[in-house]
Structure formats: structure tokens, C-alpha cells
Amino acid sequence: MAPLSTPLRTRDLDTEDGVRLLRPNPDIPYRDGAEERVLEIVRGAKDITSDSTEMLEVAEGWAETYHTHPARANVLRALDISPDARVLEIGAGCGPITRYLGETAALVDSVEPVLSRARVGRERTRDLQNVEVFAGNVEDIPREAAYDLVVIVGVLEYVGSGEPDPAPYLAFLDEARSRLVPGGSLVLAIENKLGVKYLTGTAEDHSGRMYDSVEDYPRGSPARTFSAPALADLVERAGFTPRVFGVFPDYKHTRVVMETDGLTRTAPGLLEDLPSFPSRYAGTRRVHLASERRVWAQLSRAGLSGHFANSLLVVGSTDEPARVWPEDRLARFFSINRRREYAASTTIRVVDDEVLVERQYSPQPGKMIADGMTSWPFRVGRSFAEVFVEGDEAERRDLLARWSRLVESTTVDGVVPLDAMPTNVIVADDGELQLIDNEFHTEGSVDRVVERGLFWFANSLLGDTPPEMWAPARTLGEVFVYLMGLLDRTVDDELASRVLDEEAELQVALTTNHTGPEALARCRESLQTNYYDRDVWDSALGRRLHNQYDVQVAREASLRDYIAAKQDELRAQQARITRQREKIASQRERITAQRAKVAAAREKARAQHEKLEEVRAELRTLRASRTVRASAAVRRAARKLRPGS
């Protein structure tokens, strides 16, 4: 066992919150703003081990999840680090990799320039006596050979402040090499500037600009990454013998580390099968320019896979070959976002010219883990999906029927293989269907496996096929209905609801995708949204930029036609209004004339009335006069004198 001491540890240093200070004010202006919250999460956690999922229960947002996710250490889990190793970690961040190193190696000195992050790293390793956390820069470390391994993850890209001059990068790597004992090794992880995710539409992780690294940062950047050959050359110029591995989806939350040249020679199909697409990305913009899986497949088939992995892992040896990656190993991959009891690591290696798959689970695996899934030969064949897509409807019916019978044949005493989905089946050269993954078993019905299998098969198909292939289906749910129909099964709302309920329960039991007290409800809602609202055109082979341009042109033309039609309607309406106004004006003129006539008639009537009143007054006057009274008296007298009166 190596002595638990290094020149760095013998220095008399001030401490702050358990962090040993290599300089009076150790800090650089780099942080993502989550450091204080992550410190609270780590302090409040009972389980702070590197594979703990407890902290994810309270982590929110990308930054908090990034710092607490157990997959952060996967890029080093792919290696065989000696338990006797003395390790120097440069640029430790908030300590997720520090924690793993402390659980694995004999001694770990962790150096982090940002004090707020070093505090989190110290708290994350509070129970590990073999770990010391220092705040400072690499130049503050005694320039003495004291370590078997120097680990640099996600740091090299920042040391030159984004400038292309190789000098600061070489100086940094020289500082790292000077701390290694003879036979010591460098482990370095960094993004690949030519990563396939960047080629197909994901913005560069550091600048947030599309094609920024591919175009060699024409507008500058706070960080600079390298291509695989350029990185290997840089490491070699610093005095190491480099060995470069491809990493997917990236070094941050690694699923797979691959020795791409070895896979190309022995099992080229695994180059396409091991990564899962589309790659997870750190909140940067993503535009569907091309299918990441399909582009990666073509690059791999052309023998170019070593240049285009999303991230790169470099193992640099000094005097002798590094032993952290055995010669017979081709790849190591991990389950991502699973609960600890269901997490697995799988190694691909060559034994006597045969490619073997070896899987290892947690010491206390979950109850659904299938027995016997530990080692099996790699099976060669075409993917079920590829054969399915190429077939006509009759051939698709036959393929699904044979798959359904395969599910039935692997069901024993009511225990069903939950993973016996089309996505885990290959078609051998003779047409035989072979199940390549069979992790989870539980009591249930064959119908459940068929329904679950077709639900996820529909998801897989939509991610990597032209959407017009599924017309008239418009949503994922309608593609699921189509697939079920090929097995003469009908889907109603009740069945769809049951499938979503069962899948939500399974996902919450197996994964960390949804955590906390509302996990089941949020998972169910997410699945339902995916089922009913996921448009078949919302995929890598769906609406491309030229499609969107054509749509916008058509929409613009349609809007112009609409506007023209509305303008015609407006002009017609304005004409009708003008005519109506003219009619109203004419009517107003007639009314005015009528009013004038009425006023004249009233005036005439008034005059006549006045005249009548004058006549009446004259008549009354006349009647009241003596002459009238005398005349009346004469008329009365005359009537009396008439004969016979």
C-alpha cells in the first residue's frame, strides 16, 4: 500500500471549511451559480457516495443535477484504477469525481481553483480520510513526482482562455506530467470540437453557438476544445504516449467509453449500437439539422468514428503503457438515470477471438433483475427496426408476429421479460430473432410486454424514420395504434391509459428520471403528453431547415393571399359603406325637405288658424253689435206675422 502522504500534504496551510488553502485568496471568476445550493444538498444528504441517487431527489435544474448525478464519475468508472494508486485531481469542481476516486484509490489530492466549489468537494468527501481538498492552481502544487495518476476532467479547454496558441495548454500538461512518478499516467477528458452532436445541430457547450467549434471559434470563446488528432498531438508534445477513446453522449454524464479502432476491427456494429441518440446536451440550443444516429453510423462505416465521438478520453502514459485500460477491452458502458439497485455496468472484450459481453450489477440488485445476465457472446445481426422499416405491410405483420411468439417463448410460469422489446431484438442472417438484452423480469402477462414493447418501438421509430412513412398517423399514439393493428389488436382510451399507468409505475421504480413525492404523477403526465401530443414531424428526419423554409415561404404566400383577400373584402366593405353613406345623405336631404314642407304647412295652418280666430272674433263682435240684435228682432217679428204662424 502506498504511503498516505505527498509533498502537498506536508505543507503548513490555512484551512477554511476543511479546504486547505494553497494561496491567500484562491478563486477565479468561474462558477455556474449553483455552488451554494449544491453545498446545501450535499450537507443535507445521508448518502454521499459516488453512485448515490439521494441528492437527485432535491436537485432542480441542469446545474444542480449535473453536480449531483452519479453518472458524473462514469468516464472514470470505465477505467481500472488501482486501489494502491496515489491520485492528483486537477480542477475538481464540486467533487463528484473526487468522491469516486476517494472510494477507489489509496490517496487523492484534489485541487480546485474556485473556493466555493472546493467547499462542496470537501463536503462530498467528508467521510473519506484518504482525500484532501485544496483550493488553488496547479502551479501551487509542489513540483515533485508524487502521484501515480493525474486526472484532468473538463479543465484543459479553459486553461488558454479560448486562445488558439498551444503554449498555455502545453505548459499546463507539463505541470501535470512533472507531478507523476515514473510509470505514472495521465487521464484527461474533454469535449471533441468535431463531435457528431455539433455536426448535426447542437450548439457548442461553452459558447452556445452552433458550429462554433467546427468552424474553429471565429468569434472567440471562453474555452477551446480540440479534435482527436490535435489533442493526441498536444498530449504527445507534452511528453506522454497518448491513447484516445471515444465517449458518448459526453464526458459529463457518460454512457459509453469506446476503443474505436478495436471495435472497428472486431465488432463494427457495436460502434453504432452502443451510443444512444440523440445525445443529452447541457441546456444549449439544438436544431434538427440531421439525424445524429444516422450521421454517426455513416461515419463509423467509413472508418472515421475515432474522429467524431462527442467527447474524448485520453490516457497518457510515460515510461510504460498505462494499465487502466486492458488490451482485451473494447468498450465499457453504463445504464444512465437508473436507481442504484438497477444500475449496471457492461464491458465488451475479446476473448480467444470471440467478443464477449459481461455485465455487473449492484451488490444488492433490485428484485426485477433477471438471473443469469452476467456474460454472453456478442450476437451479430441486423436491428429489428431496420428490417421492419424495409418491409412491406405483410412482412411487418409477420415480423411482429414472430416477435410476439418470442416473447411468449421467454415467459416462464407467469414471469415475463419486460425488456423483450423490438428495440432489444436483432435479426440474424438466417432470419431468426434473437433477444440481446433481457435484464428485467416480473410477474405479468405477455400482453403487457407486447403493449410496452410497441409503445417504445413507436418512440424509437419516430426518432429515426421519415415521418411521412407513418401517414396518416400524426402522433406517437397513432403510430402505436398502427403497430398494434399489425398484430390485430385494437387500442381504445382505456387500454392506452392502462399502458401509460403501468409504464409510469415501472419508470419511477427503475429510474431517477422523476423523483420526489410527485414523481409518479409527473412521469405519468410526461408519458401522456408524449403519447397524445408528440407530432410525427417533430423528429430528426422531420422538419429540417429547408422544410421549415418551405413552410415559411408557403405560409408567407398564404398570408399574402389572405391579406389580399381581406383587402378586397375591406375595399368592398368600404364601397358598401360609401354607398350607404350616400343613401343616408340622400335620405337626410329628403327628410330635410319633408321637414321644410311640414314647417311650411305648419306655418300655413298657423296663419289660417290666426285668420279663423280673427273671423271668429269679428263674428263674435258682430253678434254682439246692436245692428245684429235689431236684425234678429226684425226676423223674429216677421216670422210671427206670417200667415198660419
Side-chain angles (χ1 to χ4, degrees), residues 591-605:
I591 290 171
T592 301
Q594 289 293 334
R595 286 177 175 172
K597 289 180 180 180
V598 169
R602 285 178 177 173
E603 183 61 27
K604 183 177 180 181

Side-chain angles (χ1 to χ4, degrees), residues 26 30 41 49 81 120 129-130 140 191 196 212 286 345 436 454 463-464 473 547 602 637-638:
Y30 176 80
I41 292 173
T49 56
I81 297 175
V120 183
Q129 299 302 314
N130 61 328
D140 301 320
E191 298 91 347
V196 66
D212 207 22
R286 184 187 189 93
S345 64
I436 59 173
L454 293 185
D464 207 36
N547 296 125
R602 285 178 177 173

Side-chain angles (χ1 to χ4, degrees), residues 66 71-75 97 153-155 157-158 189-191 206 247-254 310-312:
Y66 168 70
R72 282 284 285 114
N74 281 353
V75 70
I97 292 176
V153 176
V155 175
E157 55 266 42
Y158 291 101
I190 189 173
E191 298 91 347
H206 308 95
V247 182
F248 278 97
D250 55 29
Y251 75 80
K252 302 175 181 73
H253 288 163
T254 299
N310 285 337
S311 285
L312 303 170

